[in-house]
Amino acid sequence: MKILVDWQKCTGIGICEALSPDTFEVGDDGKLQLINGEVIPEGLEAEIDSAIAGCPTAALSKQAS
Ligand code: SF4
């Protein structure tokens, strides 16, 4: 599975970073970065699902890779 970010919706609030800090990082410039790239690593599925559900602007989703 891959993480999809809708960059038009992402406002850099960083809830995803709080819920899944090994995957998401908001830089000093306020821009979200995917630490491991788009592909969801094994073992991080659950916290990434939490981040997807917790994003206040619904900017995150998953897609089969
Ligand atoms: S929680 Fe949503 S809006 Fe906030 S940085 Fe993450 S993806 Fe962007």
Side-chain angles (χ1 to χ4, degrees):
M1 298 290 280
K2 288 195 314 188
I3 304 166
L4 291 183
V5 181
D6 185 334
W7 298 105
Q8 307 279 12
K9 290 183 179 175
C10 176
T11 56
I13 299 167
I15 305 290
C16 55
E17 182 180 22
L19 292 170
S20 187
D22 293 328
T23 301
F24 301 99
E25 182 174 11
V26 178
D28 292 339
D29 58 359
K31 189 161 169 27
L32 176 65
Q33 296 169 20
L34 299 176
I35 296 169
N36 306 303
E38 291 181 326
V39 177
I40 297 175
E42 254 181 71
L44 293 180
E45 294 93 342
E47 65 175 49
I48 289 171
D49 283 347
S50 296
I52 290 171
C55 174
T57 64
L60 299 175
S61 59
K62 287 192 299 190
Q63 176 187 309
S65 50

